[in-house]
Amino acid sequence: ETKEGEGTRRRLFEFYAEIVIEDKPGVKPVPSLANRFPKEDSPEATLPPHVSAFCFPMGVERLLQGCRKGPMRPKTLSLVLTELGGGRFYTTCLYFFEVLFPSSPFSPPSPSPGVVLPTGRVRAFLLMSRYPVFGLMQSCLQELYLMDQASPSFLPSPSVLSDPSQSHYLRSKGRNNVRSRRAEEGRSVQKEVERIVGQVKVPDPSHSVSFSIGAQHLSFTLPNPSDFETCEIALGSVFQQIGVEKALRVVSWLMTEQKVVVVSSQYNMLTLTTETLCQLLFPLRWQHVYIPVLPLDLLDFTQAPTPFLVGVHADCKGPLLSSPHEDVCIVDLDRAELFPSSDARSSSIFPPDLFDPLAARLKKLLVPQLTELDEAFPIAGSSSLSLSGSGSGSGRESPFHP
């Protein structure tokens, strides 16, 4: 990293990559790197060679089977890839299935005139950063995807044509017109990638950098190194998922260097939760193996003899519980359960005279309304809780935004 005043700063986004899986009859589908920027590695950053294996944790065959059943809506996946030296690449992936016509160079030859073979490919756009800006990267990839689909050289994916939410997003606020104008001006997807990856630099601590991509204007503020570094992680999520007492118990497991497996039916919830747990250790840092989304093919890694913190999809929960894992602690986010629940590792390292006040204060911070239901004039904040259960929501936001 170049020091301030030496002319350049570290890029906010280290890499952009595009991975393609071609679904051809009679050909084994294998992820391949179709595009990347920058084209070459630097002394400060090397594109992880195993990135394609982690972008499809459910397995290539299982992914394609789902795509063949019908149009697949674009999906996002947030990952953390760790280098041998301990450095981390925070990664967001947006992948989708693209139908190809027989005239495409990727299509297999037709066995006879007039016969059309259905074929397609999975495309994945990736952004990688040294900072956990998952929400920011997701916004960038959404714009790149919509620009790509609006390009006259590509047919929009069936999911775009059939998904009302995406059609509305394309039309809202004239964004589709903005993308079309910028395409006419020569600002293709590749040029947008080169611009944001090559030109958006990390600001000074406590300062912000703003930039535009597609039809969006985005910004990033670098936390002060002496402060609690949260970036975009909503720290209250894990407490809301499993409860304050259980969340503190999981933190105890990590502080005593246990083997911890987080289980969820949503991949992004795995990354959100494991990142939250790591940040709750501040000012300490988890130094052991850390894989927020463990691919299905690497499930045997949970038999490792060293401490680890990994995330596993709920479909793999059965094998985890049926195999001998006496020394593994499991956090089931979907059911808000901890395993084991009755041995020495299930107790907290916090003494009771510290644990109870800490839990009470966390509850007051998370849901202040519940601590002041008897007050005529609550002072916890502007929010209020109706005894009838009615209220107004604040809208839907990315879980990675606090």
Side-chain angles (χ1 to χ4, degrees):
E1 182 176 354
T2 305
K3 295 182 179 178
E4 184 177 354
E6 293 183 355
T8 59
R9 297 176 184 267
R10 160 161 271 172
R11 299 189 301 267
L12 178 57
F13 306 113
E14 292 287 355
F15 292 106
Y16 166 84
E18 180 178 349
I19 298 174
V20 174
I21 305 175
E22 298 176 17
D23 187 18
K24 295 181 179 180
V27 178
K28 182 180 179 179
V30 178
S32 61
L33 183 64
N35 186 21
R36 58 168 286 180
F37 185 83
K39 297 297 184 182
E40 302 292 338
D41 295 332
S42 67
E44 295 80 18
T46 300
L47 183 68
H50 56 281
V51 61
S52 59
F54 284 84
C55 287
F56 310 105
M58 71 296 291
V60 173
E61 288 292 346
R62 185 174 180 182
L63 172 64
L64 291 177
Q65 287 176 3
C67 295
R68 295 170 187 141
K69 293 179 180 179
M72 180 188 74
R73 297 180 61 184
K75 306 290 185 181
T76 58
L77 178 66
S78 298
L79 307 165
V80 181
L81 305 178
T82 305
E83 298 174 299
L84 291 177
R88 293 175 180 175
F89 279 118
Y90 298 94
T91 305
T92 297
C93 168
L94 186 152
Y95 60 94
F96 58 97
F97 186 76
E98 183 176 75
V99 175
L100 300 175
F101 284 103
S103 58
S104 168
F106 294 98
S107 301
S110 177
S112 59
V115 177
V116 178
L117 294 178
T119 184
R121 60 182 176 180
V122 174
R123 297 174 65 196
F125 299 162
L126 287 81
L127 274 176
M128 308 178 71
S129 175
R130 293 294 188 182
Y131 301 89
V133 287
F134 297 112
L136 188 67
M137 291 189 289
Q138 180 172 326
S139 296
C140 292
L141 292 176
Q142 287 173 342
E143 285 298 313
L144 293 175
Y145 166 78
L146 292 171
M147 290 179 65
D148 176 86
Q149 297 295 297
S151 171
S153 60
F154 288 99
L155 177 74
S157 298
S159 58
V160 173
L161 302 176
S162 62
D163 189 344
S165 63
Q166 291 190 66
S167 300
H168 172 73
Y169 184 67
L170 282 167
R171 295 191 303 266
S172 64
K173 300 181 181 180
R175 288 179 172 178
N176 199 29
N177 295 331
V178 173
R179 295 187 187 94
S180 298
R181 287 199 305 271
R182 291 184 175 175
E184 294 172 359
E185 294 168 0
R187 290 178 64 173
S188 63
V189 172
Q190 183 63 26
K191 289 184 178 180
E192 287 285 83
V193 166
E194 295 176 1
R195 184 175 61 83
I196 65 168
V197 175
Q199 300 180 14
V200 179
K201 306 297 183 180
V202 177
D204 291 330
S206 302
H207 288 73
S208 301
V209 60
S210 299
F211 63 96
S212 63
I213 176 171
Q216 287 208 51
H217 298 280
L218 306 171
S219 64
F220 165 70
T221 301
L222 180 65
N224 193 306
S226 60
D227 295 338
F228 187 65
E229 298 184 13
T230 61
C231 284
E232 297 183 345
I233 303 300
L235 296 179
S237 60
V238 66
F239 297 99
Q240 295 167 352
Q241 282 285 109
I242 62 177
V244 171
E245 289 82 0
K246 292 178 181 178
L248 290 177
R249 189 164 291 122
V250 177
V251 172
S252 299
W253 288 347
L254 296 177
M255 294 183 71
T256 54
E257 300 181 312
Q258 303 291 333
K259 304 175 185 178
V260 179
V261 177
V262 180
V263 179
S264 175
S265 57
Q266 300 184 75
Y267 286 110
N268 280 330
M269 185 57 66
L270 295 174
T271 301
L272 174 63
T273 301
T274 52
E275 269 297 296
T276 300
L277 292 171
C278 285
Q279 300 219 22
L280 289 174
L281 297 177
F282 181 86
L284 304 178
R285 179 180 173 87
W286 182 255
Q287 299 287 354
H288 301 286
V289 174
Y290 177 54
I291 310 176
V293 179
L294 187 68
L296 182 62
D297 294 340
L298 300 180
L299 188 60
D300 289 342
F301 185 83
T302 56
Q303 304 278 0
T306 57
F308 55 75
L309 173 59
V310 301
V312 172
H313 195 272
D315 290 346
C316 303
K317 179 184 174 182
L320 278 176
L321 295 178
S322 59
S323 302
H325 291 81
E326 293 83 1
D327 58 345
V328 175
C329 306
I330 300 176
V331 184
D332 189 335
L333 297 177
D334 297 334
R335 295 179 175 270
E337 295 177 345
L338 305 182
F339 303 92
S341 58
S342 60
D343 68 357
R345 284 172 290 125
S346 67
S347 60
S348 172
I349 65 171
F350 300 105
D353 58 345
L354 176 61
F355 182 90
D356 294 338
L358 177 59
R361 184 165 184 178
L362 285 171
K363 290 178 181 179
K364 187 173 183 178
L365 287 173
L366 292 167
V367 192
Q369 307 92 324
L370 294 180
T371 64
E372 298 187 349
L373 287 177
D374 293 339
E375 300 292 334
F377 301 97
I379 61 174
S382 57
S383 300
S384 62
L385 182 67
S386 170
L387 293 177
S388 63
S390 62
S392 59
S394 57
R396 297 169 59 186
E397 298 181 354
S398 168
F400 291 106
H401 290 292

